[in-house]
Amino acid sequence: MLPVPALALGADMEYTERMMHIVLVEPEIPQNTGNIARTCAATGASLHLVRPLGFSLDDRYLRRAGLDYWPMARVCVHEDFPSLRAQYPDAPLFFFTTKGARRLDAFSYPDGALLVFGRETRGLPEALLEKYPGRCVRIPMREGARSLNLANSVAVALYEALRQQGYPDLVGEGHATGRQEEGVAWVDYL
């Protein structure tokens, strides 16, 4: 496991078993990965990138999509999926795919789970899906829709897992206040 050197990762981020793990197998689009890194930073999840990557880690689109969240992110790069699995041999795996037979809310996501996603254009390798058929998860969508955007899929899956856990260590409660501004009513949550 190698930290991503070009991204100035937060040194204060430590691995704990309470952490959720997002795994991107061979991601292709830097903007998606940057957005996912931002989601991981905001939730305390770690992000694992499995090579080959379809972009350079110095890519300006990757960095721009992650904005100023890179110092809060814990990002690791793995040479291949077996290397990642060797690092976390006992971690529960969940493979998000349009080929999954069970919906995401049919699973229970424990602390330390690895939520695994495939390439934007082809999804996860068939060999992984065949090896773990009981761990293939589907996000419901309308008939005829091919798939959701990768960054959106990660956000849906991660927040379902965190919801089941009671959103550990996340701030989510506030109170609403209203304001009028140039004829528009706004609701702010504090």
Side-chain angles (χ1 to χ4, degrees):
M1 180 167 68
L2 304 171
V4 181
L7 300 180
L9 302 179
D12 61 336
M13 297 297 289
E14 294 181 17
Y15 170 78
T16 68
E17 286 301 322
R18 291 196 54 207
M19 180 181 290
M20 296 301 296
H21 300 269
I22 299 300
V23 178
L24 304 182
V25 178
E26 302 177 10
E28 300 168 315
I29 301 174
Q31 294 91 330
N32 279 335
T33 300
N35 286 328
I36 293 165
R38 182 177 179 176
T39 298
C40 289
T43 60
S46 64
L47 176 58
H48 301 267
L49 306 176
V50 177
R51 292 184 192 273
L53 307 179
F55 49 84
S56 163
L57 294 174
D58 293 324
D59 191 293
R60 69 182 175 104
Y61 297 109
L62 175 75
R63 295 173 71 77
R64 182 173 184 210
L67 296 172
D68 58 348
Y69 286 82
W70 288 115
M72 294 175 63
R74 182 176 192 279
V75 183
C76 303
V77 177
H78 303 269
E79 286 304 314
D80 52 32
F81 194 81
S83 298
L84 170 111
R85 196 65 183 137
Q87 185 73 31
Y88 304 98
D90 299 324
L93 296 164
F94 298 92
F95 297 89
F96 286 79
T97 173
T98 58
K99 299 170 186 166
R102 294 174 58 203
R103 293 186 337 198
L104 80 156
D105 59 340
F107 290 88
S108 178
Y109 306 96
D111 293 338
L114 280 79
L115 309 182
V116 184
F117 299 83
R119 288 179 272 193
E120 290 91 339
T121 58
R122 290 180 270 178
L124 287 163
E126 287 295 324
L128 280 179
L129 301 180
E130 290 169 5
K131 185 173 182 178
Y132 300 98
R135 293 293 184 158
C136 293
V137 183
R138 182 179 180 83
I139 298 173
M141 55 188 156
R142 292 179 64 185
E143 182 80 33
R146 282 191 322 273
S147 65
L148 294 172
N149 170 275
L150 179 61
N152 293 338
S153 295
V154 168
V156 166
L158 180 56
Y159 272 91
E160 171 59 18
L162 293 171
R163 181 197 65 78
Q164 290 181 11
Q165 297 174 7
Y167 302 108
D169 303 320
L170 300 181
V171 176
E173 299 298 324
H175 64 277
T177 63
R179 62 184 162 100
Q180 238 359 78
E181 189 176 289
E182 296 182 29
V184 177
W186 296 89
V187 176
D188 298 317
Y189 287 92
L190 305 172

